[in-house]
Amino acid sequence: MPGVNTGCGSGHTAGPAGRGGSGWCGAEFLGQAGNVADRRQADQQTEPGLGQGAYRQADWRADWHAEQPVALLVHRWGLAARHALAGWVLPAWPLLLASTMLAVAPHVHAAPRQAGAAAPAVRDVARSDGLHALPVTGVQADALPRVADVAPALFLPADSGVGLAAFWSGPELMVVVDHALPALFHLPAQGGLFDRRASVALNGATLLRLYLPEHPAIVVERQKAGWLLCVAGKGAPGRCGPPHDLPVAQMQPEPARMLFAQSQPGRVITLPDPVTGGRLFVATTRQAEQPPPPRAGVGYAVRPSVLGLVVAADSAQLLMTATPAGPVLEALAAEPVPVGLPAPLPSASVQQGEDWLWLGLRDAPAPQLLQAWRKARDSLGTAGEDPATRLAGQPEAAVMSVWSARIAAAQAAFAAGYPQQAWALLRDLPLPAGQAATAGGVAHAGWPGPGVQALRACAALLSADMAGAAPLATADWAFEPDMVVWRGAYFMASGADSQPTSVLLARGYARLEQYPAPVRAALLLRVSQYLAEFGGPDERAALGTLPDDAPYNLARIMLQLRNGQAETARVALENLTASGNDRVADHARALLVAFLRAHDQISPDMAVEAYAQLLAAQAAEGGASSTAAASATSAVQEDADLLPPLRLAYAQALAQAGQPERAAGVLDGLVPSATLPHDRLVEAWRSVLSGLIFGPPQSPHAAPVRAGTQGGKRNAVAQVPATGVSGPARGQMLALARARMGQVPDDPFKAKLLAGLGRQFMAQGRPGLAVAALQQADVLAIDPLMRADIEELLAQSALEDNQRPLALRALERSALADLPADLAARRRYDEARLAAASGDREGAQALLAEDESDTGLSVRGALYEQDQQWAQAVQVVGRLASRTLPEQGVLSTAQRDLVIRLASDAAAAGDGPTARSLQAWVGARALGAERQALFTALVRQAQKPPVVSLGVVRVPPTFDKSVKDTK
């Protein structure tokens, strides 16, 4: 390697010591070999995938130049002398310094190295300080290792709880990480196969798009500090190779569901599927395993993957849930598509069902059930004491006897309508086998069984302990048909989406009606209200005829509203506002305001005022939900909290009234709950984010404001921002929208929001933020034309942010057949700008040679300005100004900027006639104080000879005329 010394005797001519021969070589490496060896070892540890002995050349060179021995300076003096003879000109002071140090530098001589002989180790030589020089082996290689000799690899730092999935999508490998890891946005480039990549932030996850069009054989390895992606080698020792004993994710058909068994399952990430327009369920894994084979089912298909599980769901009925055994795919609808094995029928006799057996339900009057509970409680004796102290050190038989008594008493308490007492008895129950047992006993294989676990979870649910009730969502026994109403009740209390929740509740509603009165009273009213408010037509039909009791008045009115009986419901609501129950009256007033707003009988401002009064009344009541009595109330009982849905309606009214910032403040802090399903909260956030990004809808009666004269003369259209705000206020709205974007799921609607956000950031001259937003939008869009439009905007922002590889990749992805004319033209402008940025000025001009549109002329002029060809720039920008600047009327901000631009080009070209003509055309029209002073100076400068440059004018960052200047 010329110019780099990689070994003694290589890269230099032979000569005496100190002048390029072997004499200086040993001295240099005595001081450097240890550093180089340490650096090599560190690089091998921090750069996975590099071969043995490889290290970064840049770091080695930095080491080689640091702390060089004096003999090396002498060697360079000799080189300098020879180079001077060859005609090189070098500064004199380094030569003087070298000659001065030569007088005091000790000379170290070493035997010349024989060609092809192994370099002997340096002998152990005693030093004056009593220490010994360590033996150092001479350099064995005359060149750095080639990149081709190193297996391509990419290391993703992550802890053991981070799962991964990877699958191919066209020419890209999509790597889904189920955690938000900022470190993945700052991975170092290694100049290899994995450098063409992009990192995209998702909701609670991170997506890596690796451009690998040749689809190499990728191997994913789990390491202690993270995940390693590498290309499989062909049997070479030390190379990346596919393991031979990986576990396999198995597909296990279950009744009405499909279980994908994994040894260490991760999370389930839902993404839009650009191929089918449906959804992709991506299930990650926390250890390397073989994915299941591809399989097609009704409404879904298991796709090939490199790691993890990828299921394309074409049916909206399908739902995938992460469970401890692995993800479960099921269909939730009135008429579900078949998934897994045939669904079992519920028990023919309700009282013989598993729910009655497990929960200890009895068909008896409430007083009799209460008496049974008191008897069981009294018979507990010492078994009712704290298990942590009562069972400490007891034999296994005594432990089992105590827990059997507590379980029987808990069943009696649950059936009598005292779920809190049942939960207190079972809270410390030992966990199932395979999990750590709690204090108070030991766990056997198969004990506690599904019946005891179901009783414990249902008691926790009615006691508002959602952590204890969590098995109702994922346990195997929770999928049994007799337990469907309890699973639906857990979904309702946790604020899950209303569609699957209402399906589950409707399936079990008939069983719920036959429960003993104490248990039925805890659930029936709240379930009825939920189905009436959120259920579909099939789910509402399951309610049948509601009881005539007063507590069911609101449920009946909501049924009338949703079944088209608007006038009947309105009259009933007006009557209910006079109820003696303040809570019921406030709920009726809120429903009445929503009814009037939905039927356009009141304005959004009036709705805002009405909701504000209702919220003030709720605050004046002192927050009943925070009292001790309310804290003991279950999340699924009739005393439902009115505050969350009331705040939601208030925020929606604010958004409709053109106050999205206030609406976002109202929604902040709201979480899904029994009265506020997740999908309703998402719907409100979508309207608020749309208002923040796009602004309120324009009034249909508002006409554009024009300035100037008529009669065939050109007029200027005043540039009015669509949002009605400008400057810092607009920037704050966009920043708020960007910060709250995680409140909506990753779906095609979010792609529209992100595309609009990126466009607005480009208009504000913030291309870095635009790139991040548009990268997310590109992943979430499913319409091909919309995705091509987003990718073109991404190319614009990437070029503006000096990310040419990203711009090139975006342009490649946006190259579709039969693009609209405006989108094809924008792509051509981007290609020209990319060619200019890459140094191909002639190619950039050739792409736009025949383009005489306003945008084409602007881009061509900017290219000439960047190349400092001022005369050509004057011609092109002058043609643009002749068709853009009106003869009369007020000039817009963009038109004023064009005046300054043409004047700057004319001044740089020394084109006085053009500057005077422009001055006459502008006349006395206002340009603004700063622009006017600059314009006058430029006209004066144009009368002088041309200058070399007045600066470089950048290419306009965006060509979308729908984005107006906010100034």
Side-chain angles (χ1 to χ4, degrees):
M1 297 180 59
V4 177
N5 178 50
T6 59
C8 296
S10 62
H12 300 281
T13 58
R19 288 186 174 271
S22 59
W24 64 270
C25 188
E28 177 184 3
F29 278 99
L30 276 174
Q32 298 299 320
N35 294 338
V36 174
D38 293 342
R39 178 62 58 89
R40 289 181 178 180
Q41 181 179 4
D43 288 348
Q44 293 169 15
Q45 294 175 355
T46 58
E47 296 188 17
L50 296 181
Q52 179 68 25
Y55 54 97
R56 289 186 296 250
Q57 182 174 355
D59 291 344
W60 186 89
R61 289 183 176 181
D63 243 1
W64 189 77
H65 286 293
E67 302 179 4
Q68 304 180 35
V70 177
L72 180 59
L73 295 177
V74 179
H75 159 70
R76 288 186 174 176
W77 179 87
L79 288 181
R82 291 198 300 273
H83 293 328
L85 295 177
W88 290 11
V89 179
L90 296 177
W93 65 268
L95 304 181
L96 179 60
L97 177 61
S99 60
T100 304
M101 298 181 66
L102 178 61
V104 296
H107 292 264
V108 180
H109 298 271
R113 178 180 176 183
Q114 300 296 328
V122 178
R123 295 182 179 180
D124 186 4
V125 180
R127 296 166 41 137
S128 59
D129 54 6
L131 300 179
H132 295 263
L134 293 177
V136 178
T137 303
V139 177
Q140 302 296 317
D142 289 341
L144 294 175
R146 296 175 300 172
V147 175
D149 295 334
V150 180
L154 177 65
F155 182 73
L156 308 179
D159 57 36
S160 59
V162 176
L164 199 74
F167 59 96
W168 292 103
S169 178
E172 294 180 322
L173 179 67
M174 314 294 280
V175 180
V176 179
V177 184
D178 61 10
H179 283 66
L181 298 181
L184 300 185
F185 291 84
H186 307 284
L187 297 175
Q190 298 180 358
L193 186 66
F194 294 100
D195 277 358
R196 295 194 67 179
R197 63 177 181 264
S199 301
V200 182
L202 302 174
N203 285 353
T206 308
L207 174 67
L208 268 70
R209 305 177 66 175
L210 304 176
Y211 182 67
L212 303 170
E214 297 182 358
H215 283 208
I218 299 296
V219 175
V220 183
E221 297 179 358
R222 180 63 180 172
Q223 297 185 351
K224 182 178 180 180
W227 292 89
L228 178 67
L229 278 69
C230 54
V231 177
K234 298 182 179 179
R239 296 289 186 92
C240 176
H244 302 290
D245 54 350
L246 284 180
V248 181
Q250 301 289 343
M251 290 189 294
Q252 299 179 5
E254 302 284 347
R257 64 190 186 277
M258 179 70 73
L259 169 64
F260 299 90
Q262 295 178 326
S263 56
Q264 294 189 26
R267 296 174 50 204
V268 175
I269 310 297
T270 304
L271 296 173
D273 183 9
V275 177
T276 64
R279 294 168 297 161
L280 283 180
F281 296 128
V282 182
T284 63
T285 177
R286 289 180 288 127
Q287 78 166 17
E289 63 182 10
Q290 297 182 30
R295 172 174 175 170
V298 179
Y300 74 95
V302 179
R303 290 189 178 176
S305 60
V306 177
L307 183 70
L309 172 70
V310 179
V311 176
D314 301 331
S315 173
Q317 301 179 4
L318 295 174
L319 174 70
M320 179 169 280
T321 306
T323 71
V328 171
L329 182 70
E330 61 178 329
L332 293 179
E335 297 293 336
V337 297
V339 178
L341 301 178
L345 297 176
S347 302
S349 174
V350 174
Q351 298 182 14
Q352 299 299 322
E354 291 179 328
D355 49 347
W356 281 65
L357 176 64
W358 292 346
L359 303 181
L361 304 183
R362 295 170 52 194
D363 187 13
Q368 185 176 347
L369 295 173
L370 177 59
Q371 184 179 3
W373 152 235
R374 290 175 176 172
K375 182 179 178 180
R377 180 189 59 189
D378 295 340
S379 64
L380 280 175
T382 57
E385 298 176 0
D386 182 14
T389 57
R390 171 68 178 80
L391 301 178
Q394 295 294 323
E396 185 175 329
V399 171
M400 298 299 297
S401 175
V402 168
W403 277 116
S404 298
R406 293 174 72 94
I407 290 171
Q411 287 181 323
F414 190 88
Y418 293 91
Q420 291 84 7
Q421 283 75 6
W423 173 237
L425 288 169
L426 300 178
R427 181 186 293 111
D428 296 325
L429 185 74
L431 299 177
Q435 303 181 26
T438 58
V442 294
H444 293 276
W447 190 91
V452 180
Q453 297 179 47
L455 173 63
R456 182 180 184 272
C458 293
L461 176 66
L462 296 186
S463 302
D465 192 316
M466 299 306 296
L472 284 168
T474 59
D476 288 341
W477 50 261
F479 291 90
E480 296 295 329
D482 292 343
M483 294 296 296
V484 64
V485 70
W486 293 100
R487 188 163 178 246
Y490 174 81
F491 278 22
M492 176 179 65
S494 61
D497 287 348
S498 59
Q499 190 274 333
T501 302
S502 59
V503 169
L504 293 173
L505 293 175
R507 286 182 187 176
Y509 190 80
R511 299 186 66 85
L512 178 59
E513 288 182 308
Q514 301 184 49
Y515 275 7
V519 181
R520 185 172 67 244
L523 279 175
L524 188 61
L525 176 59
R526 185 68 196 99
V527 170
S528 301
Q529 291 179 344
Y530 191 96
L531 290 177
E533 186 173 2
F534 304 115
D538 295 329
E539 289 74 38
R540 295 197 302 270
L543 293 175
T545 302
L546 293 176
D548 294 333
D549 300 341
Y552 288 87
N553 287 338
L554 282 173
R556 276 193 298 273
I557 294 174
M558 285 186 283
L559 276 178
Q560 293 170 353
L561 282 172
R562 303 198 63 201
N563 291 335
Q565 305 173 25
E567 188 60 25
T568 303
R570 185 187 64 81
V571 174
L573 282 175
E574 290 178 349
N575 294 333
L576 201 58
T577 56
S579 171
N581 187 329
D582 292 341
R583 196 171 197 80
V584 173
D586 287 345
H587 202 161
R589 293 187 185 99
L591 288 176
L592 183 59
V593 174
F595 173 86
L596 297 176
R597 179 70 196 107
H599 289 78
D600 205 19
Q601 298 182 17
I602 60 174
S603 65
D605 292 328
M606 296 176 64
V608 167
E609 184 178 357
Y611 286 129
Q613 293 176 1
L614 288 172
L615 284 170
Q618 290 290 312
E621 292 178 3
S625 60
S626 62
T627 62
S631 63
T633 303
S634 169
V636 295
Q637 292 181 3
E638 67 174 86
D639 192 14
D641 191 2
L642 177 61
L643 194 57
L646 191 57
R647 287 178 60 185
L648 182 77
Y650 182 44
Q652 289 175 321
L654 284 170
Q656 294 173 0
Q659 304 180 55
E661 290 177 288
R662 288 185 59 193
V666 173
L667 288 180
D668 279 337
L670 278 183
V671 295
S673 63
T675 57
L676 184 58
H678 174 259
D679 52 344
R680 299 306 171 97
L681 184 58
V682 166
E683 183 180 351
W685 272 112
R686 283 171 174 165
S687 62
V688 170
L689 291 173
S690 297
L692 290 171
I693 296 172
F694 305 110
Q698 293 289 322
S699 171
H701 307 292
V705 180
R706 293 183 177 272
T709 61
Q710 305 295 330
K713 294 186 179 181
R714 292 172 294 174
N715 300 301
V717 180
Q719 308 292 332
V720 181
T723 59
V725 295
S726 61
R730 184 61 187 149
Q732 292 175 4
M733 294 177 67
L734 296 179
L736 181 59
R738 177 172 176 264
R740 299 297 184 271
M741 196 61 69
Q743 300 291 342
V744 295
D746 294 324
D747 57 11
F749 189 89
K750 186 174 182 177
K752 297 180 181 179
L753 294 176
L754 288 166
L757 184 63
R759 194 185 301 269
Q760 297 291 337
F761 280 140
M762 281 293 294
Q764 287 197 334
R766 305 167 74 181
L769 296 179
V771 165
L774 292 170
Q775 281 184 308
Q776 296 182 57
D778 185 24
V779 173
L780 304 179
I782 59 175
D783 180 69
L785 190 58
M786 177 183 177
R787 197 162 59 247
D789 182 77
I790 292 173
E791 286 162 345
E792 188 280 325
L793 290 173
L794 177 58
Q796 284 190 37
S797 56
L799 283 171
E800 191 67 20
D801 201 39
N802 198 27
Q803 301 186 42
R804 285 183 291 172
L806 178 60
L808 175 61
R809 182 71 192 111
L811 286 175
E812 291 173 350
R813 289 195 299 262
S814 64
L816 302 180
D818 300 327
L819 285 176
D822 60 335
L823 182 54
R826 286 161 47 195
R827 288 192 72 258
R828 189 167 60 252
Y829 303 147
D830 295 337
E831 291 172 350
R833 296 177 64 224
L834 181 60
S838 303
D840 186 7
R841 304 286 185 182
E842 295 181 358
Q845 292 290 352
L847 286 170
L848 305 176
E850 305 298 329
D851 194 334
E852 289 294 321
S853 64
D854 290 355
T855 306
L857 291 174
S858 180
V859 176
R860 289 172 61 190
L863 294 176
Y864 281 129
E865 290 162 349
Q866 287 182 349
D867 220 16
Q868 300 184 12
Q869 299 182 30
W870 302 113
Q872 294 87 337
V874 169
Q875 294 179 3
V876 174
V877 178
R879 291 203 301 273
L880 174 63
S882 65
R883 68 171 65 167
T884 304
L885 299 180
E887 185 177 356
Q888 299 178 6
V890 179
L891 297 177
S892 67
T893 302
Q895 291 165 347
R896 296 174 186 177
D897 291 339
L898 181 58
V899 169
I900 298 300
R901 180 181 179 184
L902 180 56
S904 300
D905 293 344
D911 192 342
T914 298
R916 289 191 296 271
S917 176
L918 178 62
Q919 186 178 33
W921 186 268
V922 173
R925 286 181 286 184
L927 297 177
E930 294 183 2
R931 287 191 184 91
Q932 187 63 55
L934 178 60
F935 180 63
T936 303
L938 290 172
V939 172
R940 187 182 307 111
Q941 175 66 32
Q943 314 305 321
K944 301 178 181 180
V947 297
V948 175
S949 173
L950 288 180
V952 177
V953 181
R954 64 183 179 90
V955 181
T958 180
F959 311 113
D960 188 351
K961 294 187 177 181
S962 64
V963 179
K964 308 301 181 182
D965 194 317
T966 58
K967 295 184 180 180

